[in-house]
Amino acid sequence: MYLADQTWPELGDYVASESLAVVPLGSTEQHGPHLPLATDHLIAESLARAATDRTGHLCTPTVNVGVSPHHRQFHGTMWVDAPQFRDYVESMTRNLAYHGVDRVVFVNAHGGNVQHLREVGRRLRDDGTMYAIEWMWDESIPDLVSELFDHPGPHGGPKETAMIMHIARDLVRDDRLEDARDGGTVDLTGDHLREYGARTYYDAIENAENGVFGDQTDATPDAGAELFEAATDQLVRLLEWLDAQPIDDLLAPAHVDPQPGERR
């Protein structure tokens, strides 16, 4: 159920019996010469809508701009600073709590958002407002990603390319796949741009001249369909699990005895 398509009485019927919502989040940032800047938020929204269509749960509008300053050197990249992103997402999610939602899944498709969504989830849980967790599609199906691609790449690689081939085929520039591979970094090793254990880089351009990683020529629409269905299955299972949990089991445990301020 997509929130923005409903009327307020219809949403009243929903929260009278349900208390779970899905919030898709991505970014608007460079994804090399072959993929649109919309890549991350297209993936997040498509997965969120597919999973909630199957479960009947509520899906909110997508947060399209995320924490992406590490891609700022490339034309068109948009970002918000981390504190403002956290505050915005927290405020929006508290709106849902006001309407009766007590558990949320952040369906996230941008790595730069992860730690900040975790922080928002902690804030909401620690003050007893709700239970909110971050879910990243490719982390839910690592074995399949490894099976399909020798060089999946952490950004703009064949896994994201295949997903967009499945979701929005006309937005993939097929004639630039080799350029993406040859102008980027195929293998990003663990010690890449590290000195004596310190990570010495901040921005994507320092690791790949065109901003992307992996071998994009391995991507196919069929692989994208397989990734999409597998990730959707995982998200559906997560929603069903979360919906079944008693809220008291999800919120922060109490302080060990004796309780703070309790007289012995």
Side-chain angles (χ1 to χ4, degrees):
M1 175 186 289
Y2 185 58
L3 183 148
D5 288 345
Q6 310 305 310
T7 67
W8 71 261
E10 290 166 342
L11 291 168
D13 291 340
Y14 178 82
V15 297
S17 59
E18 300 288 346
S19 61
L20 188 153
V22 170
V23 178
L25 308 98
S27 68
T28 300
E29 65 182 24
Q30 72 84 19
H31 275 77
H34 62 303
L35 290 179
L37 275 72
T39 290
D40 287 345
H41 69 250
L42 285 174
I43 292 172
E45 180 169 344
S46 296
L47 289 168
R49 295 286 291 268
T52 53
D53 283 349
R54 283 172 53 180
T55 64
H57 289 115
L58 190 66
C59 179
T60 74
T62 305
V63 177
N64 288 342
V65 178
V67 183
S68 302
H70 48 297
H71 295 292
R72 61 196 170 92
Q73 289 89 350
F74 298 96
H75 300 301
T77 292
M78 301 183 70
W79 71 91
V80 291
D81 291 334
Q84 285 71 37
F85 175 80
R86 290 192 296 265
D87 289 347
Y88 177 84
V89 174
E90 180 180 349
S91 179
M92 185 184 77
T93 308
R94 287 186 186 277
N95 295 172
L96 297 171
Y98 176 79
H99 291 300
V101 169
D102 64 14
R103 61 204 74 194
V104 162
V105 175
F106 295 126
V107 173
N108 177 41
H110 173 52
N113 294 340
V114 172
Q115 63 179 315
H116 309 296
L117 294 174
R118 290 284 298 172
E119 173 61 24
V120 170
R122 172 168 284 283
R123 292 182 191 179
L124 294 167
R125 183 175 185 249
D126 284 356
D127 68 13
T129 298
M130 65 163 56
Y131 181 78
I133 51 172
E134 183 266 349
W135 178 85
M136 189 88 169
W137 73 271
D138 55 332
E139 294 180 359
S140 76
I141 49 171
D143 292 342
L144 178 59
V145 171
S146 297
E147 176 186 326
L148 291 174
F149 310 114
D150 291 331
H151 306 287
H155 179 76
K159 62 185 178 183
E160 289 186 320
T161 304
M163 284 285 271
I164 297 300
M165 285 178 170
H166 174 65
I167 294 166
R169 185 71 185 88
D170 59 323
L171 295 182
V172 179
R173 281 65 166 176
D174 289 345
D175 60 336
R176 302 300 302 276
L177 294 178
E178 291 186 4
D179 292 343
R181 178 196 62 197
D182 298 341
T185 299
V186 173
D187 291 305
L188 186 66
T189 60
D191 59 354
H192 193 71
L193 290 184
R194 287 178 181 266
E195 294 291 343
Y196 309 106
R199 186 180 299 176
T200 58
Y201 62 90
Y202 284 93
D203 296 331
I205 198 170
E206 296 175 86
N207 287 333
E209 186 176 343
N210 68 1
V212 294
F213 310 90
D215 185 352
Q216 292 76 9
T217 63
D218 284 345
T220 66
D222 287 345
E226 190 172 355
L227 291 170
F228 188 89
E229 291 305 316
T232 300
D233 285 345
Q234 291 292 95
L235 181 53
V236 165
R237 292 188 183 106
L238 175 61
L239 298 181
E240 291 174 340
W241 171 84
L242 184 57
D243 188 46
Q245 305 309 304
I247 189 59
D248 288 344
D249 291 349
L250 296 171
L251 296 179
H255 192 287
V256 297
D257 290 330
Q259 294 294 302
E262 182 177 286
R263 297 195 176 193
R264 304 181 74 174

